[in-house]
Structure formats: C-alpha cells, structure tokens
Short mmCIF file of all heavy atoms in Angstrom, two decimals:
data_model
loop_
_atom_site.label_atom_id
_atom_site.label_comp_id
_atom_site.label_asym_id
_atom_site.label_seq_id
_atom_site.Cartn_x
_atom_site.Cartn_y
_atom_site.Cartn_z
N ILE A 28 0.86 -1.18 0.01
CA ILE A 28 0.01 0.01 0.00
C ILE A 28 0.90 1.22 0.00
O ILE A 28 1.95 1.26 0.65
CB ILE A 28 -0.96 0.00 1.23
CG1 ILE A 28 -1.99 1.14 1.08
CG2 ILE A 28 -0.21 0.08 2.53
CD1 ILE A 28 -3.09 1.06 2.17
N SER A 29 0.48 2.23 -0.73
CA SER A 29 1.22 3.50 -0.79
C SER A 29 0.26 4.62 -1.09
O SER A 29 -0.94 4.37 -1.42
CB SER A 29 2.34 3.44 -1.86
OG SER A 29 1.81 3.28 -3.15
N ARG A 30 0.70 5.84 -0.98
CA ARG A 30 -0.16 6.98 -1.25
C ARG A 30 0.66 8.11 -1.84
O ARG A 30 1.86 8.23 -1.60
CB ARG A 30 -0.86 7.42 0.01
CG ARG A 30 0.03 8.00 1.07
CD ARG A 30 -0.77 8.21 2.37
NE ARG A 30 -1.84 9.21 2.17
CZ ARG A 30 -2.89 9.26 2.97
NH1 ARG A 30 -3.02 8.43 4.01
NH2 ARG A 30 -3.82 10.16 2.80
N ASP A 31 -0.03 8.95 -2.61
CA ASP A 31 0.54 10.14 -3.17
C ASP A 31 -0.40 11.29 -2.78
O ASP A 31 -1.43 11.48 -3.41
CB ASP A 31 0.70 10.04 -4.68
CG ASP A 31 1.42 11.21 -5.35
OD1 ASP A 31 1.41 12.30 -4.68
OD2 ASP A 31 1.89 11.09 -6.42
N ASN A 32 -0.02 12.02 -1.74
CA ASN A 32 -0.92 13.05 -1.23
C ASN A 32 -1.08 14.22 -2.20
O ASN A 32 -2.10 14.91 -2.24
CB ASN A 32 -0.46 13.58 0.10
CG ASN A 32 -0.70 12.59 1.22
OD1 ASN A 32 -1.55 11.67 1.07
ND2 ASN A 32 0.00 12.71 2.35
N ALA A 33 -0.09 14.45 -3.06
CA ALA A 33 -0.19 15.51 -4.05
C ALA A 33 -1.26 15.17 -5.12
O ALA A 33 -1.82 16.09 -5.74
CB ALA A 33 1.14 15.73 -4.75
N LYS A 34 -1.50 13.87 -5.33
CA LYS A 34 -2.51 13.41 -6.28
C LYS A 34 -3.78 12.94 -5.64
O LYS A 34 -4.68 12.42 -6.30
CB LYS A 34 -1.90 12.30 -7.15
CG LYS A 34 -0.75 12.71 -8.04
CD LYS A 34 -0.25 11.54 -8.86
CE LYS A 34 0.91 11.98 -9.78
NZ LYS A 34 1.38 10.86 -10.63
N ASN A 35 -3.86 13.05 -4.32
CA ASN A 35 -5.06 12.58 -3.62
C ASN A 35 -5.39 11.12 -3.94
O ASN A 35 -6.55 10.74 -4.19
CB ASN A 35 -6.28 13.47 -3.92
CG ASN A 35 -6.37 14.67 -3.01
OD1 ASN A 35 -5.36 15.07 -2.38
ND2 ASN A 35 -7.50 15.29 -2.94
N THR A 36 -4.42 10.30 -4.00
CA THR A 36 -4.58 8.91 -4.45
C THR A 36 -3.82 7.93 -3.53
O THR A 36 -2.69 8.20 -3.08
CB THR A 36 -4.06 8.74 -5.90
OG1 THR A 36 -4.78 9.65 -6.73
CG2 THR A 36 -4.30 7.34 -6.38
N VAL A 37 -4.48 6.81 -3.29
CA VAL A 37 -3.85 5.72 -2.54
C VAL A 37 -3.84 4.49 -3.50
O VAL A 37 -4.76 4.31 -4.29
CB VAL A 37 -4.57 5.43 -1.24
CG1 VAL A 37 -5.99 4.98 -1.44
CG2 VAL A 37 -3.83 4.39 -0.41
N TYR A 38 -2.78 3.71 -3.39
CA TYR A 38 -2.57 2.58 -4.29
C TYR A 38 -2.45 1.27 -3.51
O TYR A 38 -2.08 1.24 -2.32
CB TYR A 38 -1.31 2.77 -5.10
CG TYR A 38 -1.23 4.05 -5.88
CD1 TYR A 38 -0.52 5.17 -5.36
CD2 TYR A 38 -1.83 4.17 -7.12
CE1 TYR A 38 -0.50 6.35 -6.08
CE2 TYR A 38 -1.80 5.36 -7.81
CZ TYR A 38 -1.09 6.43 -7.30
OH TYR A 38 -1.05 7.63 -8.01
N LEU A 39 -2.80 0.21 -4.21
CA LEU A 39 -2.51 -1.13 -3.68
C LEU A 39 -1.92 -1.95 -4.82
O LEU A 39 -2.62 -2.26 -5.77
CB LEU A 39 -3.78 -1.82 -3.13
CG LEU A 39 -3.54 -3.18 -2.51
CD1 LEU A 39 -2.81 -3.00 -1.16
CD2 LEU A 39 -4.86 -3.88 -2.24
N VAL A 40 -0.66 -2.31 -4.69
CA VAL A 40 -0.02 -3.14 -5.67
C VAL A 40 -0.09 -4.59 -5.14
O VAL A 40 0.29 -4.84 -4.03
CB VAL A 40 1.43 -2.74 -5.90
CG1 VAL A 40 2.18 -3.74 -6.80
CG2 VAL A 40 1.53 -1.34 -6.49
N MET A 41 -0.63 -5.43 -5.98
CA MET A 41 -0.83 -6.82 -5.59
C MET A 41 -0.03 -7.71 -6.52
O MET A 41 -0.23 -7.69 -7.74
CB MET A 41 -2.31 -7.19 -5.67
CG MET A 41 -3.21 -6.28 -4.83
SD MET A 41 -4.91 -6.74 -4.83
CE MET A 41 -5.36 -6.48 -6.54
N ASN A 42 0.89 -8.45 -5.94
CA ASN A 42 1.74 -9.39 -6.71
C ASN A 42 1.44 -10.81 -6.33
O ASN A 42 0.86 -11.08 -5.26
CB ASN A 42 3.20 -9.06 -6.46
CG ASN A 42 3.64 -7.68 -6.98
OD1 ASN A 42 3.25 -7.26 -8.02
ND2 ASN A 42 4.44 -7.01 -6.19
N THR A 43 1.89 -11.72 -7.18
CA THR A 43 1.74 -13.15 -6.92
C THR A 43 0.29 -13.49 -6.53
O THR A 43 0.03 -14.10 -5.48
CB THR A 43 2.71 -13.61 -5.84
OG1 THR A 43 3.99 -12.99 -6.01
CG2 THR A 43 2.92 -15.14 -5.90
N LEU A 44 -0.62 -13.03 -7.33
CA LEU A 44 -2.04 -13.20 -6.99
C LEU A 44 -2.48 -14.65 -6.98
O LEU A 44 -1.98 -15.46 -7.80
CB LEU A 44 -2.91 -12.37 -7.95
CG LEU A 44 -2.88 -10.87 -7.66
CD1 LEU A 44 -3.37 -10.03 -8.84
CD2 LEU A 44 -3.74 -10.54 -6.41
N LYS A 45 -3.36 -14.93 -6.09
CA LYS A 45 -3.93 -16.27 -5.93
C LYS A 45 -5.42 -16.26 -6.18
O LYS A 45 -6.09 -15.19 -6.10
CB LYS A 45 -3.65 -16.78 -4.53
CG LYS A 45 -2.18 -16.73 -4.10
CD LYS A 45 -2.02 -17.10 -2.62
CE LYS A 45 -0.60 -16.99 -2.16
NZ LYS A 45 -0.47 -17.35 -0.71
N ALA A 46 -5.99 -17.41 -6.45
CA ALA A 46 -7.43 -17.52 -6.64
C ALA A 46 -8.21 -16.98 -5.44
O ALA A 46 -9.24 -16.34 -5.60
CB ALA A 46 -7.82 -18.95 -6.94
N GLU A 47 -7.65 -17.18 -4.27
CA GLU A 47 -8.33 -16.71 -3.05
C GLU A 47 -8.29 -15.21 -2.87
O GLU A 47 -8.89 -14.70 -1.92
CB GLU A 47 -7.79 -17.43 -1.81
CG GLU A 47 -6.26 -17.37 -1.70
CD GLU A 47 -5.60 -18.65 -2.23
OE1 GLU A 47 -6.05 -19.13 -3.31
OE2 GLU A 47 -4.69 -19.14 -1.56
N ASP A 48 -7.59 -14.51 -3.71
CA ASP A 48 -7.62 -13.04 -3.66
C ASP A 48 -8.80 -12.46 -4.44
O ASP A 48 -9.01 -11.26 -4.40
CB ASP A 48 -6.32 -12.47 -4.29
CG ASP A 48 -5.05 -12.82 -3.50
OD1 ASP A 48 -5.12 -12.76 -2.22
OD2 ASP A 48 -4.05 -13.18 -4.07
N THR A 49 -9.52 -13.31 -5.10
CA THR A 49 -10.67 -12.87 -5.85
C THR A 49 -11.73 -12.28 -4.90
O THR A 49 -12.11 -12.88 -3.91
CB THR A 49 -11.31 -14.04 -6.62
OG1 THR A 49 -10.38 -14.52 -7.62
CG2 THR A 49 -12.64 -13.64 -7.26
N ALA A 50 -12.08 -11.02 -5.16
CA ALA A 50 -13.00 -10.29 -4.32
C ALA A 50 -13.30 -8.94 -4.92
O ALA A 50 -12.66 -8.53 -5.86
CB ALA A 50 -12.41 -10.12 -2.90
N VAL A 51 -14.28 -8.25 -4.31
CA VAL A 51 -14.44 -6.85 -4.60
C VAL A 51 -13.55 -6.10 -3.61
O VAL A 51 -13.61 -6.35 -2.39
CB VAL A 51 -15.90 -6.41 -4.44
CG1 VAL A 51 -16.03 -4.91 -4.68
CG2 VAL A 51 -16.78 -7.17 -5.40
N TYR A 52 -12.74 -5.20 -4.14
CA TYR A 52 -11.82 -4.43 -3.30
C TYR A 52 -12.35 -3.02 -3.12
O TYR A 52 -12.72 -2.35 -4.10
CB TYR A 52 -10.43 -4.40 -3.93
CG TYR A 52 -9.71 -5.71 -3.77
CD1 TYR A 52 -10.07 -6.86 -4.44
CD2 TYR A 52 -8.64 -5.81 -2.88
CE1 TYR A 52 -9.42 -8.06 -4.25
CE2 TYR A 52 -7.92 -7.01 -2.70
CZ TYR A 52 -8.33 -8.15 -3.38
OH TYR A 52 -7.70 -9.32 -3.17
N TYR A 53 -12.35 -2.58 -1.87
CA TYR A 53 -12.87 -1.27 -1.49
C TYR A 53 -11.79 -0.41 -0.85
O TYR A 53 -11.00 -0.90 -0.08
CB TYR A 53 -14.00 -1.42 -0.46
CG TYR A 53 -15.20 -2.21 -0.96
CD1 TYR A 53 -15.27 -3.58 -0.76
CD2 TYR A 53 -16.27 -1.55 -1.59
CE1 TYR A 53 -16.41 -4.28 -1.19
CE2 TYR A 53 -17.39 -2.27 -2.04
CZ TYR A 53 -17.41 -3.64 -1.85
OH TYR A 53 -18.51 -4.32 -2.27
N CYS A 54 -11.83 0.84 -1.24
CA CYS A 54 -11.03 1.85 -0.58
C CYS A 54 -11.83 2.52 0.51
O CYS A 54 -13.02 2.68 0.38
CB CYS A 54 -10.62 2.87 -1.66
SG CYS A 54 -9.73 4.30 -1.10
N ALA A 55 -11.14 2.85 1.60
CA ALA A 55 -11.83 3.48 2.74
C ALA A 55 -10.93 4.58 3.32
O ALA A 55 -9.71 4.48 3.30
CB ALA A 55 -12.23 2.47 3.76
N ALA A 56 -11.60 5.57 3.92
CA ALA A 56 -10.90 6.68 4.56
C ALA A 56 -11.27 6.82 6.03
O ALA A 56 -12.46 6.54 6.40
CB ALA A 56 -11.20 7.98 3.84
N ASP A 57 -10.31 7.20 6.83
CA ASP A 57 -10.50 7.43 8.27
C ASP A 57 -10.35 8.94 8.49
O ASP A 57 -9.25 9.46 8.39
CB ASP A 57 -9.44 6.67 9.05
CG ASP A 57 -9.28 7.11 10.47
OD1 ASP A 57 -10.21 7.77 11.01
OD2 ASP A 57 -8.21 6.80 11.08
N SER A 58 -11.47 9.61 8.80
CA SER A 58 -11.46 11.06 8.89
C SER A 58 -10.89 11.60 10.18
O SER A 58 -10.89 12.86 10.36
CB SER A 58 -12.86 11.59 8.65
OG SER A 58 -13.74 11.15 9.65
N ALA A 59 -10.39 10.79 11.04
CA ALA A 59 -9.69 11.27 12.28
C ALA A 59 -8.30 11.74 11.76
O ALA A 59 -7.49 10.91 11.43
CB ALA A 59 -9.57 10.19 13.30
N GLU A 60 -8.09 13.01 11.76
CA GLU A 60 -6.90 13.57 11.14
C GLU A 60 -5.63 13.18 11.90
O GLU A 60 -5.58 13.11 13.12
CB GLU A 60 -7.05 15.09 11.07
CG GLU A 60 -8.14 15.54 10.14
CD GLU A 60 -8.20 17.04 9.98
OE1 GLU A 60 -7.89 17.77 10.95
OE2 GLU A 60 -8.58 17.51 8.89
N PHE A 61 -4.57 12.98 11.06
CA PHE A 61 -3.23 12.78 11.57
C PHE A 61 -3.11 11.59 12.55
O PHE A 61 -2.32 11.67 13.51
CB PHE A 61 -2.74 14.04 12.24
CG PHE A 61 -2.76 15.25 11.33
CD1 PHE A 61 -3.58 16.34 11.66
CD2 PHE A 61 -2.07 15.28 10.15
CE1 PHE A 61 -3.63 17.44 10.84
CE2 PHE A 61 -2.11 16.39 9.31
CZ PHE A 61 -2.89 17.47 9.65
N ARG A 62 -3.86 10.55 12.28
CA ARG A 62 -3.71 9.32 13.10
C ARG A 62 -2.29 8.80 12.91
O ARG A 62 -1.82 8.68 11.78
CB ARG A 62 -4.75 8.28 12.65
CG ARG A 62 -4.80 7.06 13.53
CD ARG A 62 -5.80 6.04 13.05
NE ARG A 62 -7.15 6.51 13.07
CZ ARG A 62 -7.95 6.44 14.17
NH1 ARG A 62 -7.49 6.00 15.29
NH2 ARG A 62 -9.20 6.87 14.04
N GLY A 63 -1.66 8.47 13.98
CA GLY A 63 -0.27 8.09 13.97
C GLY A 63 0.01 6.62 13.70
O GLY A 63 1.14 6.26 13.37
#
C-alpha cells in the first residue's frame, strides 16, 4: 500500500495473486486527522 498526497490517491499493488484473492476491493478513509 502506498499513497501520493499530491495526487489525492492511494494505491494497492498486488503481486503473486492467488485464486483466493478474488473479491471486490474497497477503498476507505478514516477522517480522524493525523492518526499516527
């Protein structure tokens, strides 16, 4: 997982995929600012 705050984008690179990775993938945000 990575993010580019200048582009307002978060990424998920998935390698060596398996059949069990089949799913709907959702992005989510936590609005509690500056969580450490």
Side-chain angles (χ1 to χ4, degrees):
I28 188 171
S29 62
R30 65 189 298 159
D31 185 338
N32 286 341
K34 295 182 178 180
N35 274 20
T36 302
V37 62
Y38 304 97
L39 184 70
V40 173
M41 304 185 293
N42 296 319
T43 319
L44 284 162
K45 307 174 183 179
E47 51 263 43
D48 295 318
T49 295
V51 178
Y52 283 71
Y53 299 90
C54 173
D57 164 18
S58 62
E60 295 184 326
F61 304 118
R62 188 182 295 276

